[in-house]
Amino acid sequence: MDHARAAISNLFGGEPTSYTRFSIARQVDGDNSHVEMKLAADDEEGGETGRPEHLHASMPPPRRNGKNLCFIVMAAVLLLLIGFLIGYLSYRGRMQRVNRCLDGSGNCEMTPTASYLSEDGTEEEEVPGPRVLYWPELRNMLSAKLSAAHLEANLRQREGKNSFEAGKAEDESTAIYIHDQFTSFHLDDVWNDEHYIRLQDKGSSNNQVFIVEDGREELLQSPDAYVAYSKSDTVTGKPIYVNYGRKEDFQKIRNMGVPMNETIIIFRAGKITLAEKVANAREEGAVGALMYLDSSDDKATGSLVPFGHAHLGTGDPFTPGFPSFNHTQFPPVESSGLPHIPVQTISSEAAAALFRKMDGEKCLLDWTSVMGCKVTVSNTSKMTVKLTVNNVMVDRKILNIFGVIKGFEEPDRYVVLGAQRDSWGPGAAKAGVGTAILLELARVISDMVKNDDYKPRRSIIFASWSAGEYGAVGATEWLEGYSTTLHAKAFTYINLDTAVLGSRHMKISASPLLYSLLETTLKRVKDPTKDSGYLYSRVGSDWVKRVVPLDLDNAAFPFLAYSGIPVVSFGFYDEGDEYSFLGTAQDTLANLKKKTDKLYALMLTAAEVAGQIALRLTHDHELFLDFDRYSEELLSFQEKLVPFDSDVKALGLTLNWLYFARGDFQRAADALRRDISNSDRENRIVRRALNDRMMKVEYDFLSPFLSPKDAPFRHIFFGKGSHTLQSLLENLEQLVVNKDSVDVNKLKEQLALATWTIKGAANALVGDIWNTDNEI
């Protein structure tokens, strides 16, 4: 105690001297490492005041201690270093979990906790959040819950019914059933959209095809099937066979010197859509067109006649660019994609009978599809074909049915899973399989949310479309009705139509943004046709080279080419041995099961692929959209242009500006990748902003210089029209073949549209206007 009193005496009344005060005080933020150091000198005049004499006399003057000061400084530095290490290790742990989230190799969520400070500044105990489902656990849960029995029950709903034609009784009753199923699954919201559209129906009597010889008419066929949007008329002309009706097929006919004006063109189904075949025939001056199913290897299908439509477009052709809601005042316009010539489908047996009547040159070897195939009739022949079409226009109400599981963080961002519901026949493969998968995914994912604590960050919409047989009418009208918002909110469409047409091969169509996610998924879904192994081993490491371009009849096409929303569409089939009953009145469950004995196992696998894609896109912090893939696509396109440099320069033009725009996009993609790497992925505001930049990549490849009404499919990669990169490439190829045949002004316009669309996409990818590359 004496020593203590002496120390206090020295502190307050000793010899005038300097001192150091060192304290460690607990702060309100809970940090005990605060260090306070103060240097001061006592006032010389006040040194004796109030000081007991005996203390002053008994104590020696204090000494400065350099060693103590050094120790204090070292302790302070050590405490700061410890604090830094603790913060670094904590941050490093969080980032490792984020990286596992990105590569799918492990747990990727931060366990939610909540810390609060009381009013007096003390820290209260952390409150644990809800259960967190990590991606591997979520993936396994989906696989375990999907049921082949449920899929079979869903598919059997179509048994015993001959037709589900859009807007008619069976289509509407199926719509009500799906609505009730969505409701029973306890989805967050279930609703329907009504559209009033104009369709074409078969007339009071069947359409007819005649062979006319020496003034006598012989009925070739009068099928129950018809082609929607065909012109109703009677025409007569010489028959000419043009293989698949592709542009290159017509070019071979021209090379043979066969005139095609005022003729009736015959082609077989396949390779391109019926509408594209008819459009090519009309360009050549044909007055009518006939199509048959190529069934040379399957005698049992020789009598089949397919249904189809001839509208070169999607949606209601009598409200192009407008949504067909009930309050729409229909403008007096029609789609430029209507054929304006009569079109009819016939059986391969009827086609063979027609060929036997033709006495002209035999078909090219690779054109032969049925026995006795002929290109046309001889110059001396008087034989002609007479085609009578009496289809009628009708106005109908159709229903699109929707259900949604709302996201817990970003409910206004969503992935859409959709399937066509209608069909001209039973439609087991055409519409039944996709609808069954749609219902099963809605049931399973809703169950995961309601009973297994899954909380998707973003919303999942389930959509059942009507009038898909007429050219994705239901899907297109929905896109047209909400075009101002959907491209900013829907970031992926997953198409479930025709998911099983066979078992040996897999067909994939997708936006490049989804290639990486699709590949990751295929590596995790087992192949049902093998005892072991995954789907990825089936498609191979070079599967991207075999990605099939979307055709107009695919409901995913308007999502991608019209609205700029990334899409994926896939299915199982047998290459070289197609499912012949597709689109016919014989598309029954029995025939589909004959095609593959693993129908329900394949449906289960398709559901798992689609489900994993949807869940991954709504689960992760960062959207799994690989925008670097478009850099690769642009580079690949540039490599195709290089051989034409000299030909373009000969016209006084250059491809350099297009190359510069591609370079700008590459740099913009690199900048966004750096922004993502350097960002705090747990900051919701930052994460949402970065995800939105990725979402817009697809939309920014829609050419902004074209009218959606005049050119609805504005995507420069996947659209239709002279603005596309493919059309530019074809024009450059023609420049080499025949320079005089190329319209230079059109070529200039194509180069300008491509350059500025790519440049605009690069600017949008960068984000802020002050960060754009203004090299052009």
Side-chain angles (χ1 to χ4, degrees):
M1 291 298 292
D2 290 341
H3 289 294
R5 285 193 294 270
I8 294 171
S9 173
N10 285 333
L11 185 62
F12 291 100
E15 294 286 346
T17 184
S18 298
Y19 71 91
T20 300
R21 186 170 67 219
F22 177 88
S23 66
I24 301 178
R26 181 179 178 87
Q27 303 300 309
V28 295
D29 61 357
D31 185 359
N32 292 336
S33 62
H34 178 73
V35 177
E36 179 183 353
M37 300 180 65
K38 183 175 180 181
L39 297 176
D42 289 328
D43 185 27
E44 292 181 359
E45 290 83 1
E48 305 292 331
T49 304
R51 183 172 55 211
E53 184 66 24
H54 67 280
L55 286 176
H56 177 70
S58 64
M59 297 295 296
R63 298 181 302 174
R64 295 184 177 92
N65 193 332
K67 291 183 178 181
N68 290 340
L69 180 61
C70 181
F71 173 77
I72 291 167
V73 173
M74 291 177 63
V77 172
L78 181 61
L79 288 171
L80 289 172
L81 181 61
I82 292 172
F84 171 78
L85 288 174
I86 292 173
Y88 170 75
L89 292 174
S90 175
Y91 174 77
R92 183 171 179 267
R94 290 198 304 272
M95 293 310 297
Q96 285 177 338
R97 288 193 291 273
V98 169
N99 289 333
R100 286 197 298 270
C101 172
L102 293 177
D103 62 19
S105 62
N107 297 345
C108 63
E109 295 277 6
M110 306 301 146
T111 303
T113 58
S115 299
Y116 304 95
L117 292 178
S118 62
E119 293 181 357
D120 61 4
T122 60
E123 185 178 5
E124 292 184 351
E125 183 180 358
E126 289 186 343
V127 179
R131 175 191 175 196
V132 172
L133 289 172
Y134 303 111
W135 172 243
E137 183 180 2
L138 192 65
R139 184 179 63 221
N140 294 335
M141 183 185 298
L142 171 71
S143 181
K145 286 180 176 288
L146 289 171
S147 165
H150 280 99
L151 288 167
E152 180 178 0
N154 292 337
L155 183 55
R156 289 191 180 278
Q157 288 292 323
R158 302 180 80 89
E159 275 193 308
K161 299 170 184 176
N162 295 325
S163 177
F164 295 81
E165 196 168 340
K168 291 189 176 180
E170 287 298 346
D171 177 46
E172 187 169 343
S173 64
T174 305
I176 294 171
Y177 170 77
I178 292 172
H179 189 285
D180 292 343
Q181 287 292 294
F182 283 170
T183 302
S184 70
F185 298 152
H186 303 291
L187 301 186
D188 293 326
D189 202 356
V190 179
W191 73 101
N192 62 273
D193 266 359
E194 293 182 352
H195 297 276
Y196 293 80
I197 61 175
R198 183 168 295 175
L199 303 176
Q200 196 177 58
D201 204 350
K202 186 174 68 172
S204 57
S205 61
N206 289 355
N207 300 331
Q208 297 177 314
V209 183
F210 297 92
I211 296 176
V212 181
E213 287 184 296
D214 299 324
R216 291 182 290 104
E217 294 183 357
E218 177 187 346
L219 180 64
L220 179 66
Q221 194 164 33
S222 181
D224 290 329
Y226 69 100
V227 176
Y229 303 123
S230 163
K231 180 181 179 181
S232 294
D233 197 1
T234 297
V235 294
T236 302
K238 281 189 175 183
I240 297 180
Y241 174 63
V242 195
N243 198 24
Y244 289 109
R246 299 167 297 184
K247 288 185 179 296
E248 55 265 37
D249 296 326
F250 280 99
Q251 182 61 50
K252 288 183 179 180
I253 294 294
R254 286 195 295 270
N255 294 342
M256 294 169 65
V258 178
M260 289 177 278
N261 194 43
E262 299 295 319
T263 62
I264 290 182
I265 300 296
I266 308 166
F267 31 65
R268 52 176 165 166
K271 304 300 182 182
I272 59 176
T273 64
L274 172 57
E276 290 172 296
K277 298 173 191 286
V278 173
N280 291 338
R282 185 188 174 198
E283 277 187 21
E284 299 297 332
V287 296
L290 299 172
M291 186 187 78
Y292 67 92
L293 284 177
D294 184 6
S295 56
S296 57
D297 297 328
D298 189 354
K299 296 180 181 179
T301 61
S303 61
L304 292 176
V305 182
F307 291 84
H309 76 89
H311 175 216
L312 189 66
T314 65
D316 184 350
F318 298 97
T319 59
F322 298 92
S324 296
F325 290 123
N326 58 352
H327 55 269
T328 301
Q329 299 297 311
F330 295 112
V333 295
E334 62 180 38
S335 169
S336 60
L338 289 174
H340 297 293
I341 61 173
V343 185
Q344 179 57 44
T345 50
I346 58 176
S347 66
S348 59
E349 290 177 350
L354 177 57
F355 287 142
R356 286 195 293 269
K357 293 284 187 177
M358 296 163 60
D359 60 353
E361 189 174 343
K362 290 184 177 181
C363 292
L364 301 173
L365 185 62
D366 58 342
W367 281 25
T368 302
S369 60
V370 296
M371 294 299 293
C373 174
K374 306 281 183 21
V375 172
T376 186
V377 294
S378 65
N379 293 330
T380 59
S381 174
K382 301 296 182 181
M383 192 203 88
T384 60
V385 172
K386 178 182 175 182
L387 170 61
T388 298
V389 174
N390 54 14
N391 298 346
V392 295
M393 301 303 303
V394 294
D395 292 324
R396 287 189 192 151
K397 180 185 78 172
I398 62 169
L399 297 174
N400 290 329
I401 309 299
F402 301 93
V404 64
I405 296 173
K406 295 180 180 177
F408 285 75
E409 285 188 15
E410 298 179 274
D412 61 338
R413 298 289 186 267
Y414 31 82
V415 57
V416 182
L417 295 106
Q420 170 183 325
R421 183 181 68 247
D422 68 296
S423 60
W424 272 302
K430 190 70 175 286
V433 168
T435 298
I437 294 173
L438 179 74
L439 289 171
E440 178 64 358
L441 286 173
R443 180 190 70 84
V444 168
I445 298 175
S446 179
D447 182 62
M448 292 167 63
V449 173
K450 305 301 180 186
N451 300 317
D452 295 289
D453 294 327
Y454 175 50
K455 290 179 168 45
R457 299 181 190 280
R458 305 168 193 95
S459 299
I460 303 175
I461 292 178
F462 304 92
S464 173
W465 312 115
S466 184
E469 293 280 44
Y470 293 85
V473 174
T476 302
E477 296 307 314
W478 186 65
L479 291 170
E480 290 177 344
Y482 304 97
S483 60
T484 56
T485 59
L486 279 177
H487 74 272
K489 295 185 177 183
F491 54 86
T492 294
Y493 176 71
I494 303 171
N495 185 46
L496 305 175
D497 294 334
T498 59
V500 181
L501 298 175
S503 59
R504 294 197 299 269
H505 302 92
M506 194 170 184
K507 182 183 294 184
I508 298 172
S509 301
S511 160
L513 289 174
L514 293 169
Y515 285 174
S516 295
L517 174 55
L518 189 54
E519 182 170 306
T520 300
T521 302
L522 295 177
K523 289 179 178 178
R524 291 292 183 175
V525 177
K526 292 182 179 179
D527 189 336
T529 63
K530 300 178 181 178
D531 295 332
S532 62
Y534 294 88
L535 288 177
Y536 184 71
S537 62
R538 173 194 289 245
V539 299
S541 58
D542 60 345
W543 67 272
V544 172
K545 297 178 181 178
R546 296 187 297 278
V547 169
V548 180
L550 289 166
D551 62 51
L552 286 166
D553 290 341
N554 192 313
F557 180 79
F559 275 86
L560 179 62
Y562 174 78
S563 293
I565 297 171
V567 302
V568 59
S569 180
F570 63 92
F572 299 99
Y573 77 113
D574 296 332
E575 188 174 357
D577 183 21
E578 305 293 339
Y579 176 66
S580 302
F581 301 101
L582 189 70
T584 74
Q586 298 302 313
D587 181 14
T588 62
L589 179 57
N591 281 328
L592 183 58
K593 291 176 72 173
K594 288 179 183 177
K595 181 62 177 171
T596 172
D597 58 354
K598 295 183 178 294
L599 173 61
Y600 300 116
L602 290 163
M603 289 174 64
L604 193 71
T605 301
E608 189 169 355
V609 172
Q612 281 200 29
I613 294 172
L615 290 178
R616 192 68 186 270
L617 287 168
T618 56
H619 169 271
D620 290 0
H621 289 74
E622 180 184 321
L623 284 179
F624 208 136
L625 299 177
D626 190 357
F627 49 88
D628 289 319
R629 291 281 188 166
Y630 264 120
S631 296
E632 298 173 10
E633 293 292 323
L634 286 170
L635 182 59
S636 175
F637 176 70
Q638 178 174 312
E639 291 171 351
K640 295 177 182 177
L641 295 182
V642 171
F644 303 105
D645 271 339
S646 58
D647 299 283
V648 172
K649 287 179 180 177
L651 298 176
L653 303 174
T654 179
L655 296 174
N656 287 342
W657 298 115
L658 191 55
Y659 299 160
F660 293 155
R662 187 213 61 83
D664 289 346
F665 186 88
Q666 177 69 67
R667 287 185 288 275
D670 293 342
L672 177 54
R673 185 62 66 194
R674 286 194 300 271
D675 288 348
I676 293 172
S677 299
N678 297 331
S679 68
D680 179 2
R681 291 186 176 92
E682 295 182 60
N683 185 316
R684 293 187 183 182
I685 297 176
V686 172
R687 187 174 69 231
R688 182 179 171 96
L690 292 171
N691 284 338
D692 283 353
R693 285 166 65 183
M694 286 190 281
M695 281 175 58
K696 277 183 59 62
V697 170
E698 199 77 73
Y699 180 78
D700 290 327
F701 281 116
L702 301 184
S703 178
F705 310 104
L706 301 172
S707 165
K709 177 179 175 295
D710 299 328
F713 308 122
R714 296 176 293 145
H715 203 296
I716 62 172
F717 281 95
F718 304 107
K720 299 288 183 182
S722 61
H723 62 282
T724 62
L725 299 182
Q726 180 60 34
S727 178
L728 170 60
L729 189 60
E730 290 172 357
N731 217 7
L732 291 174
E733 290 171 347
Q734 187 62 29
L735 182 64
V736 176
V737 175
N738 185 357
K739 179 180 177 182
D740 296 332
S741 66
V742 174
D743 185 336
V744 177
N745 288 328
K746 179 182 177 181
L747 180 61
K748 286 182 179 179
E749 182 178 288
Q750 286 181 309
L751 288 171
L753 288 177
T755 299
W756 285 106
T757 301
I758 296 170
K759 176 63 178 175
N763 291 343
L765 194 61
V766 167
D768 296 314
I769 191 67
W770 49 85
N771 289 328
T772 57
D773 188 334
N774 293 314
E775 184 172 359
I776 292 181

